[in-house]
């Protein structure tokens, strides 16, 4: 049984004439007649009553034709879905992003992406790098934005931008009037860090190795927003990425101080499976990043 044969019996049931049904299906009358006879043999029932100038579905034939119409309608839906899928920028894109990037990059990125691919809304998954790696591997997300290094078999990466780190201190702190701070000066128990397991915490420790190792609950925050509030409350100082310190995330209760050159920074990249079937969606994301307008990001695309 084929879709072509189903089209033939539907056409014959509607036209009630072999010649007209064949013309409608753009085949010869013998071709249509042979195909219908073959289908009847396969099903073991006579689908049509035939007479001189007379063709009509049998009782069981009418039910078969009805079901054939439903099957053809469903097949057409499959074709339409596939046709829409030819446009790689039509349909949602599942985007993973790490916690220390998402809240600060996404508002600008989503706005920029709408101009590039208006029919490709994002479904956002904010998570830690290790979890995003699993989701990317398991096809639970299509693409991820995270900080390098990131090495996963079968996954491609493309650097997007560099983002420098800056020191933040509460108003009135002895460093408030400093024009710059050397990384080795950031040390001691007053340095506030993110909880263990966050890649940005590791990057800060790599940039400022003098940060003391003992950990207490008061020195650890679950998010950059929490760290910023803890600094504003006078609980210590911290190091944050520049994107988290731009408007509207600036705070009158903290002072932002750059590092002395070369400034510590992180490289943010796009990651996707090498077998991903929508490469134009990746191109659209890259174009959206190129459209960003923020002094916090040194674009590489």
């Amino acid at each position: 049984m084929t879709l072509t044969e189903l089209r033939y019996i539907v056409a014959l049931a509607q036209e009630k004439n072999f010649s007209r049904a064949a013309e409608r299906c753009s085949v010869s009358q013998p071709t249509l007649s042979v195909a219908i006879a073959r289908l009847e043999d396969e099903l073991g029932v006579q689908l049509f009553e035939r007479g001189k100038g007379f063709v009509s579905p049998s009782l069981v034939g009418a039910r078969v034709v009805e079901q054939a119409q439903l099957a053809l309608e469903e097949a057409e839906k499959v074709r339409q879905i596939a046709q829409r899928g030819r446009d790689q920028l039509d349909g949602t894109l599942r985007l993973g992003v790490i916690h220390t990037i998402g809240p600060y990059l996404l508002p600008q990125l989503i706005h920029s992406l709408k101009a590039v691919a208006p029919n490709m809304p994002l479904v956002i998954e904010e998570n830690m790098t290790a979890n995003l790696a699993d989701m990317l591997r398991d096809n639970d997300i299509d693409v991820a934005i995270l900080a390098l290094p990131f090495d996963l078999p079968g996954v491609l990466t493309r650097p997007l931008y560099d983002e420098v780190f800056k020191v933040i201190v509460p108003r009135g702190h002895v460093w408030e009037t400093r024009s710059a701070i050397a990384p080795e000066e950031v040390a001691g128990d007053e340095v506030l860090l993110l909880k263990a397991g966050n890649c940005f915490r590791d990057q800060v420790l790599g940039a400022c190795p003098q940060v003391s190792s003992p950990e207490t609950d008061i020195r650890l925050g679950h998010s950059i927003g929490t760290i910023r509030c803890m600094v504003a409350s006078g609980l210590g100082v911290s190091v944050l990425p520049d994107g988290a310190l731009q408007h509207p995330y600036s705070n009158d209760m903290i002072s932002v101080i750059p590092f002395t050159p070369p400034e510590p920074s992180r490289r943010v990249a796009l990651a996707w499976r090498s077998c991903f079937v929508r490469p134009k969606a990746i191109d659209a994301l890259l174009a959206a990043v190129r459209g960003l307008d923020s002094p916090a990001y040194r674009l590489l695309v």
Side-chain angles (χ1 to χ4, degrees):
M1 183 190 312
T2 67
L3 289 177
T4 298
E5 291 169 342
L6 296 184
R7 291 190 185 96
Y8 289 171
I9 64 172
V10 169
L12 184 58
Q14 293 174 345
E15 297 293 342
K16 294 182 171 53
N17 180 278
F18 276 96
S19 179
R20 289 196 300 270
E23 183 179 356
R24 174 173 162 180
C25 295
S26 301
V27 296
S28 67
Q29 181 174 328
T31 297
L32 183 134
S33 298
V34 170
I36 291 177
R38 185 170 55 242
L39 181 58
E40 288 179 322
D41 287 342
E42 178 184 341
L43 297 177
V45 295
Q46 187 171 337
L47 300 177
F48 294 92
E49 297 178 1
R50 301 163 174 85
K52 189 174 178 61
F54 169 80
V55 180
S56 180
S58 64
L59 184 60
V60 67
R63 294 171 59 190
V64 170
V65 167
E66 182 180 356
Q67 190 61 41
Q69 288 177 307
L70 295 176
L72 291 173
E73 289 171 4
E74 292 302 314
E76 175 61 17
K77 291 179 183 178
V78 171
R79 188 194 65 80
Q80 291 174 357
I81 291 171
Q83 187 174 34
R84 288 196 297 269
R86 294 174 192 168
D87 184 357
Q88 297 181 18
L89 302 185
D90 186 8
T92 58
L93 185 73
R94 300 170 299 170
L95 175 67
V97 60
I98 58 176
H99 298 293
T100 59
I101 291 177
Y104 314 107
L105 174 67
L106 287 179
Q108 301 175 62
L109 180 64
I110 292 173
H111 178 75
S112 181
L113 185 62
K114 285 182 179 178
V116 178
N119 296 322
M120 191 177 72
L122 297 178
V123 174
I124 305 297
E125 170 65 35
E126 191 180 46
N127 219 312
M128 300 181 73
T129 300
N131 294 333
L132 292 179
D134 291 341
M135 297 180 73
L136 195 59
R137 181 196 61 214
D138 297 338
N139 195 21
D140 291 326
I141 58 174
D142 299 317
V143 61
I145 297 178
L146 34 73
L148 296 179
F150 182 76
D151 187 17
L152 189 66
V155 171
L156 303 175
T157 59
R158 173 74 180 271
L160 298 177
Y161 58 84
D162 288 334
E163 183 179 26
V164 300
F165 301 161
K166 292 185 177 179
V167 179
I168 62 169
V169 301
R171 291 293 186 185
H173 192 275
V174 294
W175 287 353
E176 184 178 10
T177 58
R178 295 278 298 274
S179 60
I181 293 174
E184 58 269 20
E185 294 181 79
V186 182
D189 290 337
E190 70 168 346
V191 180
L192 305 174
L193 300 172
L194 289 172
K195 290 278 187 180
N198 191 295
C199 63
F200 182 69
R201 167 198 169 91
D202 298 334
Q203 292 160 0
V204 171
L205 291 175
C208 308
Q210 287 75 21
V211 173
S212 58
S213 58
E215 298 177 356
T216 60
D217 289 339
I218 197 172
R219 294 184 60 253
L220 303 176
H222 288 281
S223 70
I224 282 180
T226 299
I227 292 289
R228 191 168 47 235
C229 290
M230 292 169 71
V231 172
S233 299
L235 296 177
V237 304
S238 191
V239 176
L240 295 184
D242 197 16
L245 299 171
Q246 301 295 317
H247 178 78
Y249 309 106
S250 54
N251 189 320
D252 291 339
M253 299 176 68
I254 62 174
S255 294
V256 179
I257 309 166
F259 279 103
T260 55
E263 301 164 287
S265 65
R266 65 177 175 181
R267 178 155 291 184
V268 175
L270 209 58
W272 68 96
R273 292 179 302 282
S274 57
C275 59
F276 184 48
V277 297
R278 297 171 65 189
K280 290 183 179 179
I282 302 299
D283 293 339
L285 277 176
L286 295 173
V289 171
R290 283 193 291 270
L292 298 179
D293 183 20
S294 172
Y297 307 131
R298 298 174 182 175
L299 298 183
L300 302 171
V301 294

